[in-house]
């Protein structure tokens, strides 16, 4: 039965309140308006940022909402004026848009796009500042402009990357967030050079993708730091050459790293979202040139600090969103790299469940033995 132009009722995991189990509901998904695309989501993974917003610590977190932002699917229908994708196209929804027209896109200096950001931060669509999701007339907010914990979602056309239809959607869904973020933090944001010494704080999917990126960039030493020693075995497969557990030392971890590296590392990456660790990551950098990249997302109200002297003496503090990748242009390129076996994805997928098991998937994320859990969205 043709669904174009119709409201679709489908299953979605709804977050009604912070930290309360997600509820699988029958949700009404309105047709796409001008400049919008309705996507049948086939697979979605969970990222730590979904858990962060669900925890209530995200200043942009709105409830009730449909979380999820690391997914792949097929275009079901498009709204007026949409020219770059059509029904049947295989796509990855991108929380970081790329309109190619705004001040940010035209600057050549950033991957951030301004076109729909105020709407995505407010949980609505740009066109009418309303949600396309409802349950029996009651509004449900969008999340990050993607809301992939739903069998169907509506996104802005500037947030859709069209990909190779041969690519396995249960794997390339990871290119919606964590893997590009880690790779791009190294390749685009830090621009790590061959021979560099790299420190990575936090060896989850994002930290391991940093390791993979650093290895491919020719780093000579890749030091992984995590409070969970079990992470080291798996981290070796992604390029980590040495492991440090802060719990094994009495002195500050930045001092441990400075001592291990004859004065400090060339590049460090914070992939946790902990502001004390962000400070340590900056202060373990080498005087004169060491660069630290903040990747982790810290809770509302948290602030970073250090002695300004750390910067006066040449250390550089940076941050990255989606690894600096331009989403619509470069996600298809990353898919092609995966298809040519030039980047890993399968190795990050430790669990596969169904959307009905989503609360179990979040439990797995918090237990630590899980990198990415991929949910099948349809029977
Ligand atoms: N900037 C961006 O565009 C993006 C940021 N993120 C953020 O990156 C962070 C990492 O995400 P995931 O890899 O999915 O998370 P994860 O939870 O899988 O990994 C975090 C790792 O940090 C370790 N850890 C926790 N506290 C620690 C401490 N005090 N010292 C050392 N290690 C510690 C944990 O044992 C775990 O291995 C999150 O904050 C997430 O929100 C994620 C994607 C994109
Ligand atoms: N609403 C959050 C924003 C958290 C954040 O920094 N998000 C990252 C992506 S995290 C993906 O898993 C990002 O791209 N930020 C840039 C942006 O435009 O949002 C908060 O306020 O903490
Ligand atoms: Zn994410
Ligand atoms: Zn733009």
């Amino acid at each position: 039965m043709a669904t174009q132009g119709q409201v679709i009722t489908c299953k979605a995991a709804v977050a009604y309140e912070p930290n309360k189990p997600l509820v699988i509901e029958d949700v009404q998904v309105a047709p796409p308006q001008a400049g919008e695309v309705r996507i049948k989501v086939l697979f979605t993974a969970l990222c730590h940022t979904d858990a962060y917003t669900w925890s209530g610590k995200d200043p942009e977190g709105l409830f009730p909402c449909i979380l999820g932002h690391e997914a792949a699917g097929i275009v079901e229908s498009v709204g007026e004026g949409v020219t770059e994708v059509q029904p049947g196209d295989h796509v990855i929804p991108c929380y970081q848009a790329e309109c190619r027209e705004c001040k940010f896109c035209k600057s050549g200096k950033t991957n951030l796009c301004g076109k729909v950001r105020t709407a995505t931060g407010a949980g609505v669509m740009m066109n009418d500042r309303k949600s396309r999701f409802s349950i029996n007339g009651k509004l449900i907010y969008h999340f990050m402009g993607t809301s992939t914990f739903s069998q169907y979602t509506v996104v802005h056309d500037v947030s859709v990357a069209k990909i190779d239809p041969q690519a396995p959607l249960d794997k390339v869904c990871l290119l919606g967030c964590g893997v590009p973020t880690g790779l791009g933090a190294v390749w685009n944001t830090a621009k790590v050079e061959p021979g560099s010494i790299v420190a990575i704080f936090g060896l989850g999917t994002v930290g391991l993708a940093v390791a993979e990126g650093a290895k491919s960039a020719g780093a000579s030493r890749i030091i992984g730091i995590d409070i969970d020693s079990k992470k080291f075995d798996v981290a070796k497969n992604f390029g980590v050459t040495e492991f440090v557990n802060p719990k094994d030392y009495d002195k500050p971890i930045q001092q441990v790293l400075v001592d291990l590296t004859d004065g400090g590392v060339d590049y460090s990456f914070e992939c946790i979202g902990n502001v004390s660790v962000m400070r340590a990551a900056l202060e373990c950098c080498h005087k004169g040139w060491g660069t630290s990249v903040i990747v982790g997302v810290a809770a509302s109200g948290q602030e970073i600090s250090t002695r300004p002297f750390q910067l006066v003496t040449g250390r550089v503090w940076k941050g990255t969103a989606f690894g600096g990748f331009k989403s619509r242009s470069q996600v298809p390129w990353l898919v092609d790299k995966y298809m040519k076996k030039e980047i890993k994805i399968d190795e990050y997928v430790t669990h596969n469940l169904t959307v009905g098991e989503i609360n179990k998937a979040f439990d797995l994320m918090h237990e630590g033995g899980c990198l990415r859990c991929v949910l099948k969205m349809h029977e």
Side-chain angles (χ1 to χ4, degrees), residues 250-264:
D250 290 330
K251 53 185 174 179
I253 194 65
Q254 48 269 58
Q255 192 57 51
V256 173
L257 289 159
V258 166
D259 293 346
L260 268 176
T261 55
D262 187 26

Side-chain angles (χ1 to χ4, degrees), residues 47-50 69-70 95 144 177-178 372:
C47 167
H48 200 102
T49 305
D50 298 307
H69 64 282
E70 201 172 278
Y95 63 84
M144 285 176 86
C177 184
R372 280 301 193 253

Side-chain angles (χ1 to χ4, degrees), residues 131-327:
S131 174
R132 302 290 168 263
F133 296 112
S134 59
I135 298 179
N136 301 327
K138 188 177 177 336
L139 171 152
I140 310 290
Y141 287 109
H142 295 245
F143 168 68
M144 285 176 86
T146 50
S147 288
T148 60
F149 294 164
S150 175
Q151 291 179 320
Y152 287 84
T153 190
V154 177
V155 305
H156 299 98
D157 60 351
V158 290
S159 307
V160 183
K162 179 175 164 178
I163 61 164
D164 176 356
Q166 302 300 323
L169 298 180
D170 60 334
K171 300 294 187 301
V172 296
C173 57
L174 266 59
L175 295 177
C177 184
V179 171
T181 297
L183 295 174
V186 175
W187 296 343
N188 304 323
T189 310
K191 299 188 169 67
V192 169
E193 309 94 359
S196 301
I197 303 177
V198 170
I200 306 165
F201 293 80
L203 299 175
T205 293
V206 174
L208 294 176
V210 167
E212 187 187 352
K215 183 178 177 186
S216 79
S220 60
R221 294 174 68 184
I222 304 174
I223 307 171
I225 302 109
D226 203 294
I227 50 174
D228 177 3
S229 291
K230 293 192 295 297
K231 297 279 172 171
F232 189 36
D233 264 350
V234 64
K236 282 184 211 165
N237 302 329
F238 292 86
V240 172
T241 57
E242 295 156 64
F243 182 74
V244 174
N245 187 335
K247 289 182 178 168
D248 295 340
Y249 298 86
D250 290 330
K251 53 185 174 179
I253 194 65
Q254 48 269 58
Q255 192 57 51
V256 173
L257 289 159
V258 166
D259 293 346
L260 268 176
T261 55
D262 187 26
V265 305
D266 299 306
Y267 296 96
S268 73
F269 298 84
E270 200 279 357
C271 307
I272 302 163
N274 177 318
V275 293
S276 308
V277 179
M278 289 174 189
R279 178 175 193 151
L282 175 77
E283 295 179 358
C284 77
C285 286
H286 203 287
K287 181 176 177 178
W289 63 76
T291 295
S292 185
V293 181
I294 293 176
V295 190
V297 173
S300 175
Q302 297 285 301
E303 295 185 347
I304 48 170
S305 62
T306 190
R307 283 194 68 211
F309 184 67
Q310 294 285 335
L311 307 185
V312 167
T313 50
R315 294 170 195 83
V316 177
W317 222 345
K318 291 183 158 187
T320 193
F322 196 52
F325 281 117
K326 285 193 173 269
S327 59

